[in-house]
Amino acid sequence: MNDSVYVISVSLMLILLGGLTFHRLTSKTTPEGARALLRPSGRLALMGILLTTAYVVSLPGIYAMLEAIVPISNGTDFIAKVCAMTAVAFLGVHLAIAYNSETALGWIVGLRGAVALGIAALGVFITLIAADTPEASPRLVAYADQPAVEVNQWIVLAYTAYILGPLLSPLFRDSRSNPLRFGRLASRLIFIGFALSIGRTLAYPLELHAGPEAFYVFELVTHVSTACVVLGLWAFAFARKNQLARKKLDIDLSIK
Amino acid sequence: MAVSGSDFKQWLERRGITTSASELGRLTGLHRVTVGNQIRRGNVPESTVVGVARGVGIDPIAALADFKEYQDLDSRPRSPTAAEVLSQVHHADLMVELQHRFHEDLFPRNDKVKIDFPHDGSHRAWIDAIDTGDVRHDVAEKTGTAITYLFTQLSENKLTPIQAVTAARVSGTSMVAGLVVVGLITMEEGDWPEDVRETALMVMKNEDLVELIQQRLNLLQRRLRQRKEALEYAEKLTDLIG
């Protein structure tokens, strides 16, 4: 039952993430296909690719196939987690620049950001090595009761919260003050997604207490959070493509 | 703010008006479910009271004065001051008058003021016209409205009837005029002569006309700047994120 919930939710995420990323890369209008990767807006496409990859390699069939190639047992999980963390970092940079948040930028990019990502990746790797995981298990679910795996999961959640935390304040501000209603909605969606993600990190002791059976329920929170963020980003892309700001925020003098 | 459901029911009974939701709906032009909900939730908008009063042939001002929030509504002369009337003339009409005064042959005077109110900024213009000092803060305090929200309401022409009456109450002007300005009652019901705006405009001194236009243009300039900034911000954000 839990496995089916996981596969269904991961598949839905893949359809959403993969679909929007594919659309972004192959769209005939801006951004211009794969060339978008070379521009600042390419950060989003890159984020989509990384996040989709993280979800794809976590699918049981693909996971088992990759395990045959990867030298370390459950090394695929390490790849998925590094992809996901890098995607979060890209998202963080993207939004920090857009919302002009110096604090968030200071945390995510530069030496501090690189060190944080490096430590998180190293931590995930060390805890994977330290754990006893002989059989392939996506997200290390089969070994969720091992302390090393618990720390492994927590590192990913903590890194995500580290990136998203400083962005909450500018997002909240924009979700209330953006002159465009659609913009407020988009910021609100991203804010909800971030809040859910940070909420899961803070509730991690509760997740540990609930035991491995509750893992999928908490994992659903992450999926909902990702969906909210992706939909929020899509809403901004929609607003840009349709020039909603120009259409809705009229500076015409006519009162006809 | 609106009148309470129980006060509304008592008022209907006192005035011998039916309390049936469908009948009230017929009188006000609202759906009976809407009227029923308003009474049940204990929050009956002033427009419903006015609608019922009109429906049964009662003076809307007398009807509103039956409620404690508006009991002093008719305690002052109803007619507005010239400044209040002029606040409801759009700056485009003010400028037509100015042009006429420059050259009456090239720019004949309009028989009627062309632009009706409420127009963009007319609520704010009315508050400015009656402001004797700190009317905005007084209204915010007495009606329990956050001052920033009141500013937004004024920018968006969303002053409520109780705020309008409170503003008039603190500035000592006609308490009915505000209800005309917010559109709750008609000019006729508020004892505004039909050509009151044209007359006020015609007798206005040149220096007052120019000063008023200047004020309005300053306001228009500020508003345009704000709109432009809002547009630039929204466009920049959608471009950067999307």
Side-chain angles (χ1 to χ4, degrees), chain B residues 49-105:
Chain B
V49 177
V50 169
V52 172
R54 282 180 190 143
V56 295
I58 301 172
D59 175 20
I61 295 164
L64 281 172
D66 286 342
F67 295 88
K68 59 179 182 296
E69 295 89 344
Y70 296 99
Q71 57 191 3
D72 57 347
L73 193 60
D74 215 8
S75 61
R76 290 180 197 159
R78 289 186 182 185
S79 33
T81 62
E84 284 179 279
V85 172
L86 289 166
S87 74
Q88 300 309 297
V89 180
H90 193 271
H91 41 270
D93 278 316
L94 293 174
M95 287 190 281
V96 169
E97 175 66 20
L98 183 69
Q99 286 179 320
H100 172 76
R101 291 187 191 189
F102 276 119
H103 202 303
E104 57 190 35
D105 297 334

Side-chain angles (χ1 to χ4, degrees), chain B residues 19-20 32 36 46 56 61 77 79-81 94 96 101 123 131 145 147-148 163 193-194 202 207 227 242:
Chain B
T19 52
S20 140
R32 63 183 166 77
E46 291 85 347
V56 295
I61 295 164
S79 33
T81 62
L94 293 174
V96 169
R101 291 187 191 189
H123 287 192
D131 195 357
T145 314
I147 189 73
T148 46
Q163 287 170 331
E194 201 186 338
M202 235 183 292
E207 58 269 33
R227 284 185 191 168

Side-chain angles (χ1 to χ4, degrees), chain A residues 93-112:
Chain A
V93 174
H94 189 70
L95 293 181
I97 291 171
Y99 288 111
N100 199 19
S101 170
E102 293 292 332
T103 318
L105 265 181
W107 283 48
I108 305 165
V109 296
L111 186 65
R112 205 194 306 182

Side-chain angles (χ1 to χ4, degrees), chain A residues 48-251:
Chain A
I49 292 171
L50 286 166
L51 218 48
T52 310
T53 309
Y55 274 103
V56 167
V57 299
S58 297
L59 280 173
I62 298 171
Y63 192 89
M65 204 172 71
L66 285 171
E67 273 304 284
I69 310 163
V70 178
I72 312 157
S73 173
N74 283 299
T76 313
D77 182 67
F78 172 72
I79 295 169
K81 280 174 177 157
V82 169
C83 281
M85 288 195 297
T86 316
V88 169
F90 273 115
L91 175 67
V93 174
H94 189 70
L95 293 181
I97 291 171
Y99 288 111
N100 199 19
S101 170
E102 293 292 332
T103 318
L105 265 181
W107 283 48
I108 305 165
V109 296
L111 186 65
R112 205 194 306 182
V115 168
L117 183 59
I119 290 175
L122 194 67
V124 170
F125 185 72
I126 290 171
T127 47
L128 176 68
I129 300 290
D132 181 25
T133 60
E135 298 295 322
S137 171
R139 313 300 308 269
L140 305 178
V141 177
Y143 312 104
D145 52 348
Q146 289 185 32
V149 175
E150 286 172 356
V151 176
N152 180 289
Q153 304 277 15
W154 179 80
I155 289 171
V156 179
L157 293 176
Y159 179 76
T160 309
Y162 168 86
I163 298 292
L164 307 186
L167 286 163
L168 278 182
S169 163
L171 267 168
F172 182 71
R173 216 177 308 127
D174 187 70
S175 70
R176 291 175 64 86
S177 65
N178 193 314
L180 192 65
R181 186 181 289 181
F182 205 70
R184 286 199 295 275
L185 173 77
S187 281
R188 228 165 269 170
L189 274 170
I190 301 174
F191 177 81
I192 292 169
F194 282 15
L196 281 174
S197 195
I198 293 170
R200 188 183 173 191
T201 312
L202 296 176
Y204 194 62
L206 208 72
E207 191 175 331
L208 290 182
H209 183 71
E213 309 80 48
F215 172 79
Y216 291 115
V217 178
F218 283 94
E219 194 62 10
L220 268 182
V221 174
T222 297
H223 289 181
V224 172
S225 141
T226 312
C228 283
V229 173
V230 170
L231 285 174
L233 295 173
W234 171 81
F236 272 116
F238 179 84
R240 185 179 77 147
K241 192 180 169 194
N242 293 285
Q243 295 189 317
L244 286 188
R246 178 80 36 195
K247 283 177 190 162
K248 302 278 177 189
L249 302 171
D250 198 6
I251 52 167

Side-chain angles (χ1 to χ4, degrees), chain B residues 126 139 143 145 149-150 153 158-168:
Chain B
W126 177 70
V139 171
T143 58
T145 314
Y149 186 61
L150 181 65
Q153 284 180 292
K158 286 183 179 165
L159 203 63
T160 63
I162 193 68
Q163 287 170 331
V165 169
T166 307

